[in-house]
Amino acid sequence: MDNDLTLQDIIYYLKNKKMIIIGSMLIFGLLSIGYLLLDTYVTGDNEQNVKSSEEEISEDININELLKIDKEERTSLEQKEITDYLSNDMYFFRVYIENNDFSVFNRTSLFKEVLLSDEVLALIKEEVTIENESFLDDYINVDLNTDNAIFTVYVSTGNTALNDELSSAYFDILKQDNIEILNDRSLYFFDSPRLFSFEDESLVNGSEDIIEDRSVSDCAIYALLGGIFGIVFGIVFSVIHSIFSNKVDAIYNYKMKKQDKLINLTNNTEDSQTLNHAIHYPSRLKRIILVEKINEDIINESQKNIYKDNEIVNEFSSVQIDKEIDEAVIIVKRGFTSKKWYEKQRNQIKGNLIPIKIIEV
């Protein structure tokens, strides 16, 4: 029967391959962090490259067609295309709104409805010419930072000049207190309308410390995932390496038959009495003891001479033809005995129907 792997064998094997596994874990962990940094600081910048004029013209037509689709009927891909295009060179400003009872006004949807109301649009059109007024719901967006209750008003039309004009018009109207619903509320402005940049994310999404913490957290997560993948890869690589290795190791399949025996003495290598007993018991049997030439040190002189009927050889083919044998003992040293030598001896023995005892040391 095949030799079954024990937990002890697996632990022994992993300890023996620990340098490969640890090395793989470190390499994949570092590669994961490197990929994250590359994706954040390089790939992100590349995506900001300016498109050619021909691409802009064709995209204008495409975006205008997409904008005509009702919001509820757009697919997620269509909405993403619209958002990606309109957010190019968008402008923004920030405002804090306080109710007359000194509580915070934090109703994002209501604030956007105010900005798109007929009252406000009438005032806006006195300052700015808007060709596609029906697209304003996509052009104007409001976000609330829940950490500090500050609104960010984004103006993103896909046209830099229009973004500048439209954001300035909204900013001026809000400052003049000309909107009825906001008359009994206090508005505090933190900056004038300006072009949105990557550095501004720390202002609208939270403090720089929060973003830095997220970056560290992302690196830790990527390193952990990379390390786990590295461990798995290291184990798989070690197994593949063992399969193609020419030496016997803890997971080697000895191709045992039903009458064969396996004795594992890998933790008792220095115990000569245990090894001697494993080889020669029971004493009534006549044995041939096979040990590869490079591993002859396993069998010392005292063991060689204990039982005169037990012959020690390097090759089964060297045994005399007329010699009677009750059992063949194959001594295998993990990491040293070659698979080729073991398989050669086994192949020669199996044709003679001789029981085999394999002793691992």
Side-chain angles (χ1 to χ4, degrees), residues 210-221:
I210 293 175
I211 290 180
E212 184 176 347
D213 289 343
R214 287 176 180 172
S215 298
V216 173
S217 176
D218 287 343
C219 286
I221 291 172

Side-chain angles (χ1 to χ4, degrees), residues 281-302:
Y281 182 84
S283 60
R284 67 177 183 277
L285 300 181
K286 297 178 181 179
R287 296 179 177 83
I288 187 74
I289 302 171
L290 293 159
V291 59
E292 194 173 15
K293 192 173 184 61
I294 61 172
N295 299 325
E296 282 185 329
D297 60 304
I298 300 172
I299 308 295
N300 57 41
E301 291 299 322
S302 62

Side-chain angles (χ1 to χ4, degrees), residues 25 28-37 212-230:
M25 178 185 69
F28 277 94
L30 292 174
L31 285 175
S32 298
I33 295 175
Y35 171 79
L36 175 63
L37 296 176
E212 184 176 347
D213 289 343
R214 287 176 180 172
S215 298
V216 173
S217 176
D218 287 343
C219 286
I221 291 172
Y222 270 71
L224 177 62
L225 294 176
I228 292 172
F229 181 81

Side-chain angles (χ1 to χ4, degrees), residues 131-157:
E131 294 183 2
N132 298 307
E133 185 180 325
S134 60
F135 298 160
L136 275 174
D137 188 30
D138 289 292
Y139 291 165
I140 309 299
N141 287 287
V142 177
D143 186 32
L144 176 67
N145 187 329
T146 55
D147 292 333
N148 51 30
I150 296 176
F151 286 106
T152 302
V153 178
Y154 297 99
V155 179
S156 53
T157 66

Side-chain angles (χ1 to χ4, degrees), residues 58 102 113 155 229 261 313 348:
S58 60
F102 302 107
E113 287 183 22
V155 179
F229 181 81
K261 296 181 285 293
V313 296
Q348 293 178 22

Side-chain angles (χ1 to χ4, degrees), residues 317-333:
S317 58
S318 66
V319 179
Q320 293 181 4
I321 297 176
D322 58 350
K323 184 177 179 64
E324 294 183 9
I325 300 174
D326 298 317
E327 183 179 62
V329 179
I330 304 178
I331 309 295
V332 176
K333 188 174 183 179

Side-chain angles (χ1 to χ4, degrees), residues 43-304:
T43 308
D45 291 341
N46 290 338
E47 289 178 352
Q48 300 301 320
N49 291 336
V50 180
K51 298 177 182 179
S52 66
S53 58
E54 291 183 0
E55 288 175 330
E56 289 182 349
I57 293 172
S58 60
E59 193 168 25
D60 282 341
I61 298 173
N62 182 43
I63 292 300
N64 285 333
E65 292 300 319
L66 291 177
L67 285 168
K68 293 177 183 178
I69 303 173
D70 190 85
K71 269 192 171 184
E72 286 72 21
E73 297 178 0
R74 294 173 189 166
T75 65
S76 57
L77 180 59
E78 289 171 340
Q79 184 59 52
K80 184 179 184 303
E81 289 184 13
I82 291 172
T83 303
D84 289 346
Y85 175 74
L86 294 182
S87 61
N88 183 45
D89 292 339
M90 68 179 174
Y91 273 63
F92 80 103
F93 62 86
R94 296 181 301 145
V95 58
Y96 176 84
I97 304 177
E98 190 177 76
N99 297 316
N100 55 9
D101 61 356
F102 302 107
S103 62
V104 175
F105 178 78
N106 56 6
R107 300 175 62 182
T108 305
S109 299
L110 177 58
F111 187 34
K112 181 172 180 178
E113 287 183 22
V114 170
L115 297 180
L116 298 178
S117 64
D118 293 338
E119 176 190 359
V120 174
L121 289 181
L123 297 173
I124 291 292
K125 286 190 284 187
E126 293 178 5
E127 304 293 333
V128 182
T129 301
I130 306 173
E131 294 183 2
N132 298 307
E133 185 180 325
S134 60
F135 298 160
L136 275 174
D137 188 30
D138 289 292
Y139 291 165
I140 309 299
N141 287 287
V142 177
D143 186 32
L144 176 67
N145 187 329
T146 55
D147 292 333
N148 51 30
I150 296 176
F151 286 106
T152 302
V153 178
Y154 297 99
V155 179
S156 53
T157 66
N159 184 308
T160 307
L162 182 57
N163 290 342
D164 186 7
E165 293 178 17
L166 198 53
S167 61
S168 296
Y170 269 109
F171 182 80
D172 292 339
I173 290 170
L174 290 172
K175 288 198 73 172
Q176 292 169 9
D177 288 335
N178 289 333
I179 304 173
E180 182 178 354
I181 194 172
L182 298 177
N183 283 344
D184 58 346
R185 293 178 170 86
S186 300
L187 278 67
Y188 302 93
F189 295 88
F190 287 84
D191 35 32
S192 300
R194 58 190 173 92
L195 186 66
F196 185 84
S197 64
F198 177 78
E199 290 76 13
D200 293 318
E201 289 189 8
S202 62
L203 296 176
V204 300
N205 293 328
S207 67
E208 293 182 4
D209 292 338
I210 293 175
I211 290 180
E212 184 176 347
D213 289 343
R214 287 176 180 172
S215 298
V216 173
S217 176
D218 287 343
C219 286
I221 291 172
Y222 270 71
L224 177 62
L225 294 176
I228 292 172
F229 181 81
I231 291 173
V232 174
F233 178 84
I235 293 173
V236 172
F237 177 80
S238 297
V239 172
I240 294 174
H241 180 267
S242 296
I243 292 173
F244 290 97
S245 171
N246 61 352
K247 301 296 181 182
V248 170
D249 59 20
I251 64 171
Y252 178 67
N253 186 346
Y254 289 108
K255 303 178 180 65
M256 296 172 61
K257 302 301 180 182
K258 187 175 182 179
Q259 70 274 18
D260 296 343
K261 296 181 285 293
L262 174 66
I263 301 175
N264 186 341
L265 297 180
T266 52
N267 294 324
N268 299 279
T269 305
E270 304 301 327
D271 189 347
S272 59
Q273 182 178 352
T274 301
L275 177 59
N276 187 58
H277 186 275
I279 293 173
H280 300 292
Y281 182 84
S283 60
R284 67 177 183 277
L285 300 181
K286 297 178 181 179
R287 296 179 177 83
I288 187 74
I289 302 171
L290 293 159
V291 59
E292 194 173 15
K293 192 173 184 61
I294 61 172
N295 299 325
E296 282 185 329
D297 60 304
I298 300 172
I299 308 295
N300 57 41
E301 291 299 322
S302 62
Q303 290 171 327
K304 286 183 180 180

